[in-house]
Amino acid sequence: MSALVVDGLRKRYRDHEAVAGIGFTVEQGEIVALLGPNGAGKTTTLEILEGFRSRDAGRVEVLGRDPGDRAERRWLRERVGLVLQDIAVEPHLRVRETIARSAGYYPAPRDVDEVIELVGLGEKRDAKVKDLSGGQKRRLDLALGVIGDPKLLFLDEPTTGFDPTARRGAWEVVRSLRDLGTTVVLTTHYMDEAQALADQIVVLNAGRVVAQGTPETIGGRDTARTRIRFARPDGVAPEELPVVPTEIDETSVTLEVDDATGALHRLTGWALERGTSLHRLTVEQPTLEDVYLSLTGDAAGRPEAASTQRRQRRRNRRAA
Ligand SMILES: Nc1ncnc2c1ncn2[C@@H]1O[C@H](COP(=O)(O)OP(=O)(O)OP(=O)(O)O)[C@@H](O)[C@H]1O
């Protein structure tokens, strides 16, 4: 059984179709990253999968059950973990107490101290929640998401606001959860996070899936043209080069080629023969970010702005 099945999912808000017939499947123990620019439909999709929002059409199965079916709510709540932005917790409780209290809501929770260690809050176990830093608070959110020993974990922008070291730490936590067999559904605006964590990436744009695949192959990354760059050697005219540049200016030369081996051979052979060095020579496949931007046209993607809107909406929903 797949951990998650989404097929033909649609959701309309009045005259706006936020999710316009999307489908993807996530196998158990996989990490899937949902990517897309602001308004792409990620939150709407997640909220439907989490059972917080109804759908207009399509099939959704979470651990084989329908989150839209009220009768399944309790069963799913016991097996699905949520790490949302700004979970409401009692500020005067201590870290350990908060996690222990949450453990009491689940039939078979994980060991409280083990979870504290897992998220790296060992030194803060006796601190009051109100005294935690922003990043430590998000670690607590993560602890609360995993204390029930979920089979499936939804992680909503888990590292927004983290410093680089804390992000690496959070990635390690997510990887160790996957190694323990937990399926993880992640939203993020950080391409390096998707690259580092995801087994599968689903890119949404305007309510549709525009690409799907592994971080290495998505959007034809593996078969895309290779970009070769080097500093323009002093006094060399474009026509003297043994290759036809895609771009050339006073200081640099860029080529985009299908046959990188051949182009590099001609280039380095030419340079050696002339006794010229190819300074700052780089050979690159398109990055995940290059592919993402070309798929979504989201050159102005603004992670922080997106998160603020999302947090506000999610707060409203929880308050409702
Ligand atoms: N409750 C609502 N009522 C009306 N329109 C909504 C509602 N929630 C979302 N929308 C609209 O649906 C579209 C998809 O929104 P959604 O929140 O799912 O996008 P998102 O991909 O999560 O974006 P972000 O990255 O900004 O959080 C947007 O155009 C949004 O304005």
Side-chain angles (χ1 to χ4, degrees):
M1 182 191 71
S2 301
L4 201 62
V5 179
V6 176
D7 186 21
L9 179 64
R10 289 179 180 274
K11 177 69 186 182
R12 174 180 285 278
Y13 299 109
R14 287 178 290 279
D15 57 350
H16 178 68
E17 192 158 47
V19 177
I22 65 168
F24 57 90
T25 302
V26 185
E27 299 309 327
Q28 294 182 30
E30 252 188 1
I31 299 178
V32 64
L34 283 187
L35 306 182
N38 299 157
K42 303 179 298 294
T43 306
T44 300
T45 302
L46 273 195
E47 289 179 348
I48 292 169
L49 299 177
E50 293 164 355
F52 292 127
R53 200 175 275 291
S54 64
R55 60 189 188 263
D56 297 333
R59 184 164 69 100
V60 175
E61 282 178 20
V62 175
L63 303 174
R65 313 276 178 122
D66 180 353
D69 181 347
R70 286 190 154 276
E72 305 286 15
R73 292 267 159 93
R74 189 191 166 105
W75 190 93
L76 282 169
R77 207 180 306 131
E78 288 173 357
R79 290 164 181 82
V80 174
L82 303 181
V83 179
L84 307 176
Q85 309 274 339
D86 287 343
I87 299 182
V89 285
E90 176 56 58
H92 294 285
L93 279 187
R94 295 180 194 281
V95 166
R96 195 182 184 289
E97 282 175 287
T98 305
I99 300 171
R101 195 154 84 159
S102 185
Y105 301 140
Y106 294 94
R110 299 171 96 121
D111 182 79
V112 174
D113 293 305
E114 231 172 76
V115 167
I116 289 174
E117 290 306 323
L118 181 74
V119 302
L121 279 177
E123 287 177 13
K124 292 285 168 186
R125 74 178 62 227
D126 297 319
K128 289 193 173 168
V129 170
K130 69 178 178 56
D131 296 331
L132 296 179
S133 74
Q136 290 163 349
K137 173 69 176 30
R138 304 291 349 261
R139 283 163 184 253
L140 176 61
D141 292 340
L142 187 55
L144 295 175
V146 303
I147 188 65
D149 197 15
K151 296 272 165 292
L152 176 72
L153 182 65
F154 289 106
L155 286 178
D156 186 15
E157 296 183 24
T159 64
T160 297
F162 276 31
D163 68 48
T165 313
R167 293 182 74 210
R168 293 293 189 287
W171 294 354
E172 278 312 308
V173 173
V174 175
R175 289 196 190 104
S176 59
L177 289 170
R178 188 241 329 254
D179 294 345
L180 293 168
T182 312
T183 307
V184 178
V185 181
L186 166 86
T187 67
T188 183
H189 283 282
Y190 299 121
M191 295 303 128
D192 59 341
E193 183 156 288
Q195 174 79 50
L197 290 179
D199 299 303
Q200 188 192 168
I201 289 177
V202 177
V203 181
L204 296 182
N205 195 24
R208 295 176 199 282
V209 174
V210 292
Q212 194 171 354
T214 66
E216 288 69 35
T217 61
I218 192 160
R221 251 185 100 187
D222 53 334
T223 54
R225 289 159 74 85
T226 304
R227 191 182 292 153
I228 299 172
R229 265 193 247 251
F230 52 95
R232 183 170 171 176
D234 282 343
V236 169
E239 53 280 5
E240 289 178 68
L241 291 167
V243 288
V244 181
T246 313
E247 258 181 69
I248 182 162
D249 59 26
E250 288 309 307
T251 56
S252 66
V253 183
T254 304
L255 322 170
E256 281 174 14
V257 296
D258 290 320
D259 173 22
T261 314
L264 282 167
H265 182 75
R266 283 196 297 283
L267 201 54
T268 51
W270 169 83
L272 286 173
E273 212 164 274
R274 286 176 48 113
T276 305
S277 288
L278 295 173
H279 293 294
R280 300 201 301 279
L281 175 64
T282 59
V283 181
E284 296 172 342
Q285 291 298 117
T287 63
L288 181 57
E289 183 148 321
D290 294 333
V291 170
Y292 171 83
L293 291 175
S294 73
L295 286 167
T296 61
D298 184 33
R302 291 174 305 139
E304 305 305 332
S307 318
T308 309
Q309 290 166 11
R310 178 195 301 263
R311 265 202 289 278
Q312 187 58 49
R313 250 193 346 264
R314 292 204 141 198
R315 260 203 293 274
N316 294 345
R317 190 200 65 220
R318 277 196 300 278

